[in-house]
Amino acid sequence: MTSFQACTIIARNYWAHARVLASSIAEHHPDVRLKVLVIDATDDDLSAAARELFDVVHPDELGIERSEFLRMAGIYDVLELCTALKPWLLRALLKHDASPVLYFDPDIELFARVNEAAELAEARGVVLTPHTLESLPHDGYEPSELTLLGAGTYNLGFISVGRDSIPFLDWWSDHLRRDGLISKEEGMFVDQRWVDLAPSLFDVQILRDPGWNVAYWNLAQRPITRFGDRHEVAGRPLRFFHYSGFDPDRPRLSLFHSDNPRVRLDDEPLVSGLCERYAKRLINAGYRGYARLLYGFGQTSTGLTLDAPARRLYRRELIDAERTGAREPPNPFEDGARDDFESWLRDPVGGYGVTRYLQGIRTQRPDLQGEFRELDGETGRAFVEWAHEHGVKNGEVLPRLLGPEPVDGRSAEVGVNVAGYMRAESGMGESARLLVSALDAVGVPNSIVTYDNTSVRQQALLPAGGLTAPVHPIDLICVNADQLHHFLTDVEGFDAGRYRIAVWSWEVEKFPDWMARSADLVDEIWTCSAHAAHAIRDATTTPVHAVPHAISRIDARPLSRSELGLPKGFVFLFAFDFDSVLERKNPIATMEAFSRAFSGREDVHLVVKTVRGDAHPEDLDLLCAAAGAHRNVTVRDGYVTREEHQALVAACDAFVSLHRAEGFGLHLAEAMALAKPVVATGYSGNLDFMDESNSRLVPYELVPIPPGCDPYPTDARWAEPDVAAAAEAMREIVDDPALARTLGERAASDIARLHSPEVRGRLIVDLLGRVPSHPAPERNELAPPVEDDVLALDEVFEHVRSGPGVGAAKRWAGLSRLVRRNVSRLTRHATEHQQRIDLALTHEINHLASEIDEISDHRRSIEDLTGQVRDLNARLIREREHRRELEAKIRRLDPTLEPGAGGTDERSG
């Protein structure tokens, strides 16, 4: 007679059920000790099992990584998780002991021996029992055949597997990692629907004996009789009865799961007696005490209950991240991520308090999508009102995950001080100006403070209202993490006890620790996209919110192509700032995709518009040399006014960007606002406003960031876009004018509806509404963020003498003659080697600068030291120029590129 193993899966509140099952197994198979996987087992459970008729199996014994188990615990509710782990448990037991394994649901009771299933499993590998062995009449009673179709052909409350079942278990477990839901509309019902496919894929034995797995769904066809002490079904022994969903406190109401059951308990006295007996056994086994135990993965350690919408949202975002290689959402149970999970759910994603959680609820419910067709404007407001009033009242929405109730932004009483590079013609300067436009759009009072410690041109028009003083109770400081300390040192009036919000931009998946230290200087952080928010949130405990840029309506001044110097034919435009790191912007890949798409054609052109080439002459030379290897590619460097830039975008036919990472992608959004079809890498911040319906997203793979791309860390990744796919997308845009027009029109519509200053303003009002009314606590002003240990000044000269060596970074920004105001430039775009030198100089110069204000009789000494700094700067610049070789850099960026004739180099400004 074949020996076997027996097992079941429970949460702790089903401990009594496991006791009764184990007792019934021991009655008929004294040599078999039940193995019980307790999915939320505690240490006390493991020790308590020694006093039981069963052994406890901990999830860590299944051969599944802890992080993966916690993902599944976040995706699934208790029933889904118990069923999803079934193949893991069966496989683990088979690997430990080759004898067949019989799985029983915990609400099963054995009435006879079950060796036959073990023998079949040893011979065939997998043994299944169907829900029914006969056709059911169409008479309106339940269960019907349609009910069984939804649940699956086989009931997986029982399964028997042998040594040959491993391929089946591997296949089954792979599908249950993410797709073991109770979701009949998606064709899923826990583990059962997948096994409908098993007989066509694997060698499966269907056990048709009517005495196996008798339950409410087949009781009409399998009446139970009794002969002496033996229960029978159609003349066969009753092997086990499945009390699915049975409640011992309501034994006559809970068994049949329907108001119109095919069989009633009053008509089945034998079954009624079995149920009364089973109820007593459960109660004697401690049912009432165990039933009160809370499910271990029902809520996070912060007390947040996980409802179905939160779990479904987590699952969807996790699957998207695994498919694309993007960052996973925070796990609700992973150490160190629990608070992040709740913050992630409460992140505002639209105006009037639409949180990610609320957006997820609407995505999962067609009725809400029909009633609230958009999440902006009045429909968005109505949706949030529904959530606060109806959703919470009816238990459909967790109030803890709601934003503030809708408010009229124009009645906002709290004003803000917006500080930043208001005149700078740069991304951070534009970020500050767009923030003011959003505040103005919803009537939030604001004052503007400009900061000019930057080397970029400062001729941008200031927002309406001009400059004032910081007079409001909240500060919005649009200065990145590496420069925040210098701003607070340089600008008066921002050291008071007001609530301080930093507005930062960031582009790659990891935010450096040395930058993250600046988070201790503020009360919260706003950043330009969900992508950037994930990165910064991982590096700090300071609250982080995604506040994407507002995109204003763009009325570009019409200029002809001849006035703009553009060629005839179809023109793709790409634009970037050399300060934004050439490797990240990846223009050479854009050129390569263009050449692949339009080799031999004279009617299509690529214009690469740049600024700050004068500050990065070797990068500009590199780019022009790369353009020279491609036909119809033009590089144009130099400042133009914002109006001229918008006219340039309006005059082109399409915009393209094969970036490796974007914090937001402002040029992309502005091109879309001007109804231009856009081809761009489908990764990072631009996904806040781009999707497959309004643009062409280029696939990619995530690759390590190479050295020399400061400030981006080499232990992070960014995208490597598929150049061939980009070429195909660009060809499609050119060859299908109707498609290009449709994409452009949809892009303009989406930007106007979903990303306008009014929409962003409502989001900002929501966030400001959460600011505590009490004054901000005093903060310890930190030293500037640094990446390495500080060198003594005498070590600096030796580092300058020896040089950076092979592989050192390539960027160095010029030092200003004004020591105190421009010392921040020492660290901009520096590499690890140069950063250490800059840092030492920075500390010494700050010390000297403070003494200038206090000790006037030491002026001559200070002037001598200042001269030393200038000499050092000149030597460093000369060394940089000697150390860099243009051809080596070209080969590193594109080994296939050969400098040659062709292309043009138009340098202006």
Side-chain angles (χ1 to χ4, degrees):
M1 186 175 294
T2 303
S3 63
F4 66 89
Q5 307 173 75
C7 66
T8 191
I9 303 175
I10 64 168
R12 298 177 67 238
N13 62 341
Y14 257 59
W15 196 275
H17 293 74
R19 281 178 169 171
V20 175
L21 173 61
S23 176
S24 73
I25 291 175
E27 180 181 351
H28 298 284
H29 293 279
D31 57 333
V32 176
R33 186 172 174 87
L34 180 68
K35 305 290 194 304
V36 181
L37 170 61
V38 184
I39 61 174
D40 53 352
T42 67
D43 292 339
D44 290 341
D45 297 329
L46 298 176
S47 59
R51 301 185 296 274
E52 303 286 355
L53 291 175
F54 56 81
D55 298 322
V56 170
V57 179
H58 192 277
D60 291 346
E61 300 176 63
L62 298 182
I64 181 173
E65 291 185 1
R66 182 65 179 172
S67 58
E68 175 60 12
F69 172 76
L70 294 180
R71 292 185 191 102
M72 295 174 69
I75 290 172
Y76 294 134
D77 65 21
V78 59
L79 174 59
E80 292 167 339
L81 184 59
C82 283
T83 54
L85 291 173
K86 201 174 298 176
W88 272 276
L89 175 60
L90 295 172
R91 186 170 50 203
L93 293 177
L94 280 174
K95 290 183 177 180
H96 181 263
D97 180 344
S99 57
V101 183
L102 276 60
Y103 169 86
F104 301 93
D105 267 357
D107 48 9
I108 281 176
E109 184 179 20
L110 268 63
F111 290 87
R113 292 176 67 82
V114 290
N115 296 85
E116 183 182 342
E119 293 165 0
L120 290 171
E122 189 164 71
R124 298 291 298 275
V126 180
V127 179
L128 302 173
T129 54
H131 277 107
T132 181
L133 298 171
E134 302 174 32
S135 177
L136 295 172
H138 300 286
D139 52 9
Y141 290 107
E142 289 292 335
S144 66
E145 289 182 333
L146 285 175
T147 305
L148 298 183
L149 280 174
T153 302
Y154 308 99
N155 179 262
L156 271 300
F158 171 77
I159 185 174
S160 180
V161 296
R163 288 172 295 181
D164 295 337
S165 68
I166 296 298
F168 160 74
L169 295 175
D170 291 344
W171 168 85
W172 196 20
S173 62
D174 183 60
H175 286 78
L176 293 181
R177 287 177 63 253
R178 302 290 179 263
D179 295 327
L181 305 178
I182 300 173
S183 179
K184 293 185 180 180
E185 64 276 9
E186 297 179 78
M188 286 183 275
F189 184 70
V190 289
D191 56 339
Q192 292 184 173
R193 288 299 304 275
W194 288 110
V195 177
D196 286 355
L197 301 174
S200 63
L201 301 175
F202 304 95
D203 188 11
V204 172
Q205 174 69 47
I206 309 301
L207 185 55
R208 300 179 59 83
D209 187 320
W212 296 74
N213 215 348
V214 181
Y216 76 87
W217 53 78
N218 54 34
L219 196 57
Q221 302 165 324
R222 305 185 192 183
I224 298 176
T225 58
R226 183 166 181 172
F227 293 92
D229 293 335
R230 172 170 149 168
H231 291 82
E232 291 186 352
V233 180
R236 302 285 296 170
L238 171 63
R239 305 291 182 158
F240 59 85
F241 192 89
H242 194 162
Y243 300 89
S244 178
F246 179 74
D247 182 350
D249 289 326
R250 300 189 307 154
R252 307 189 69 81
L253 298 176
S254 62
L255 188 62
F256 295 104
H257 305 272
S258 172
D259 294 330
N260 194 26
R262 191 169 294 282
V263 176
R264 295 184 181 275
L265 204 58
D266 290 340
D267 300 328
E268 296 287 339
L270 272 178
V271 176
S272 179
L274 291 179
C275 289
E276 290 177 2
R277 174 176 171 273
Y278 185 64
K280 289 179 180 178
R281 296 191 72 181
L282 284 176
I283 291 170
N284 291 337
Y287 166 81
R288 292 200 171 101
Y290 287 113
R292 289 195 293 267
L293 295 178
L294 293 177
Y295 172 46
F297 296 107
Q299 58 180 216
T300 69
S301 63
T302 62
L304 172 68
T305 299
L306 289 185
D307 63 356
R311 291 186 186 275
R312 294 297 181 265
L313 175 61
Y314 172 71
R315 171 182 175 267
R316 189 182 73 232
E317 295 291 328
L318 176 61
I319 290 173
D320 285 346
E322 290 173 336
R323 177 178 55 84
T324 63
R327 181 183 300 275
E328 290 184 12
N331 182 274
F333 305 113
E334 191 82 52
D335 289 342
R338 302 178 183 106
D339 292 336
D340 287 346
F341 179 75
E342 184 168 350
S343 297
W344 177 76
L345 289 174
R346 297 183 73 249
D347 270 349
V349 296
Y352 293 126
V354 178
T355 63
R356 178 179 277 108
Y357 169 75
L358 277 184
Q359 184 188 56
I361 289 178
R362 178 182 170 276
T363 300
Q364 297 163 35
R365 291 185 48 178
D367 60 324
L368 295 179
Q369 295 173 37
E371 185 172 354
F372 308 107
R373 295 186 178 275
E374 303 290 346
L375 289 184
D376 62 325
E378 288 306 310
T379 55
R381 181 189 186 94
F383 174 54
V384 175
E385 289 174 346
W386 169 88
H388 279 272
E389 297 170 10
H390 177 86
V392 172
K393 179 180 178 181
N394 290 279
E396 301 170 72
V397 175
L398 295 175
R400 180 164 168 173
L401 297 178
L402 293 176
E405 293 195 49
V407 296
D408 181 358
R410 294 194 176 277
S411 65
E413 297 178 358
V414 177
V416 296
N417 311 303
V418 185
Y421 306 101
M422 292 296 178
R423 295 190 180 95
E425 297 175 73
S426 65
M428 282 303 293
E430 189 63 15
S431 172
R433 294 186 289 271
L434 291 175
L435 183 58
V436 173
S437 75
L439 294 168
D440 289 343
V442 292
V444 175
N446 60 86
S447 63
I448 299 171
V449 177
T450 191
Y451 184 48
D452 60 5
N453 185 6
T454 176
S455 60
V456 306
R457 195 173 79 165
Q458 301 193 61
Q459 295 183 17
L461 295 177
L462 290 170
L467 302 176
T468 56
V471 297
H472 298 293
I474 300 174
D475 292 336
L476 289 174
I477 303 175
C478 304
V479 175
N480 272 331
D482 56 341
Q483 298 300 310
L484 180 60
H485 177 274
H486 300 297
F487 168 86
L488 295 172
T489 301
D490 293 345
V491 180
E492 295 181 358
F494 283 85
D495 53 356
R498 294 188 297 269
Y499 194 85
R500 184 183 291 169
I501 301 172
V503 183
W504 292 348
S505 289
W506 185 247
E507 294 81 19
V508 303
E509 65 177 5
K510 181 175 181 180
F511 195 63
D513 291 340
W514 66 274
M515 286 190 180
R517 294 171 198 151
S518 291
D520 293 336
L521 299 174
V522 300
D523 299 293
E524 65 182 73
I525 299 162
W526 293 0
T527 188
C528 51
S529 65
H531 170 76
H534 282 314
I536 299 173
R537 193 177 288 127
D538 282 350
T540 178
T541 58
T542 301
V544 180
H545 300 290
V547 184
H549 296 314
I551 306 301
S552 303
R553 175 184 173 86
I554 299 175
D555 296 313
R557 180 163 60 100
L559 292 175
S560 68
R561 287 196 170 183
S562 59
E563 290 176 291
L564 292 166
L566 293 177
K568 296 178 181 179
F570 194 103
V571 176
F572 283 94
L573 177 66
F574 176 49
F576 75 97
D577 186 331
F578 278 103
D579 280 350
S580 296
V581 183
L582 182 70
E583 293 87 345
R584 177 173 71 83
K585 289 295 187 177
N586 204 21
I588 293 177
T590 301
M591 296 177 183
E592 174 62 24
F594 174 83
S595 289
R596 289 196 191 189
F598 307 110
S599 177
R601 292 182 60 167
E602 298 295 334
D603 60 331
V604 188
H605 302 266
L606 171 64
V607 174
V608 180
K609 178 66 185 73
T610 66
V611 295
R612 295 282 290 163
D614 56 335
H616 304 269
E618 293 185 6
D619 283 349
L620 177 59
D621 290 342
L622 168 65
L623 189 63
C624 292
H630 303 285
R631 298 178 63 85
N632 296 335
V633 175
T634 302
V635 176
R636 300 179 57 176
D637 182 66
Y639 283 107
V640 296
T641 66
R642 177 165 176 75
E643 291 71 22
E644 289 170 331
H645 175 78
Q646 291 175 347
L648 180 65
V649 178
C652 291
D653 299 289
F655 196 93
V656 59
S657 171
L658 299 191
H659 58 265
R660 291 186 168 106
E662 281 288 2
F664 179 75
L666 190 56
H667 285 319
L668 299 170
E670 290 180 337
M672 292 171 67
L674 287 167
K676 301 301 173 182
V678 175
V679 176
T681 309
Y683 175 71
S684 61
N686 53 304
L687 296 188
D688 277 14
F689 55 88
M690 296 181 73
D691 57 39
E692 295 290 353
S693 70
N694 62 23
S695 53
R696 281 293 176 263
L697 296 177
V698 176
Y700 62 91
E701 63 174 332
L702 290 177
V703 299
I705 299 174
C709 299
D710 303 278
Y712 307 118
T714 56
D715 59 347
R717 301 171 302 169
W718 58 19
E720 193 62 54
D722 186 331
V723 172
E728 179 60 32
M730 294 169 76
R731 262 195 310 271
E732 189 180 20
I733 294 293
V734 172
D735 295 340
D736 192 343
L739 170 66
R741 183 169 55 255
T742 298
L743 286 175
E745 290 171 354
R746 178 61 185 267
S749 173
D750 286 353
I751 293 294
R753 288 184 304 107
L754 305 175
H755 308 283
S756 67
E758 291 78 14
V759 172
R760 290 291 175 260
R762 291 193 293 269
L763 168 60
I764 290 171
V765 167
D766 291 341
L767 289 173
L768 294 177
R770 303 179 191 182
V771 170
S773 57
H774 55 78
E778 292 186 4
R779 308 175 192 87
N780 293 322
E781 301 300 328
L782 303 177
V786 297
E787 186 170 5
D788 286 316
D789 295 333
V790 179
L791 298 176
L793 187 58
D794 58 351
E795 295 180 86
V796 172
F797 297 98
E798 177 59 26
H799 274 271
V800 172
R801 185 196 64 76
S802 61
V806 177
K810 62 186 181 62
R811 281 178 161 54
W812 183 266
L815 289 173
S816 167
R817 292 171 185 257
L818 300 176
V819 173
R820 183 174 182 178
R821 291 178 63 82
N822 290 331
V823 71
S824 63
R825 296 177 191 171
L826 283 165
T827 58
R828 188 174 295 123
H829 302 306
T831 61
E832 296 179 358
H833 183 91
Q834 291 169 327
Q835 179 78 21
R836 300 183 71 206
I837 298 171
D838 297 348
L839 181 59
L841 292 172
T842 299
H843 278 260
E844 290 297 326
I845 294 169
N846 277 335
H847 174 72
L848 294 173
S850 63
E851 294 205 346
I852 290 174
D853 297 332
E854 300 174 3
I855 311 174
S856 58
D857 57 339
H858 289 171
R859 182 173 302 167
R860 179 174 300 174
S861 298
I862 295 298
E863 290 176 351
D864 290 341
L865 287 172
T866 302
Q868 286 185 5
V869 171
R870 291 173 181 165
D871 291 341
L872 279 172
N873 178 49
R875 291 172 64 186
L876 287 170
I877 292 174
R878 287 196 302 272
E879 183 173 301
R880 180 205 64 181
E881 293 171 349
H882 290 319
R883 293 281 178 177
R884 301 173 61 188
E885 297 178 8
L886 178 59
E887 290 298 328
K889 183 63 182 292
I890 292 175
R891 288 194 299 272
R892 184 168 74 83
L893 287 173
D894 189 348
T896 66
L897 190 62
E898 296 181 3
T904 59
D905 173 9
E906 300 184 13
R907 310 188 187 196
S908 59

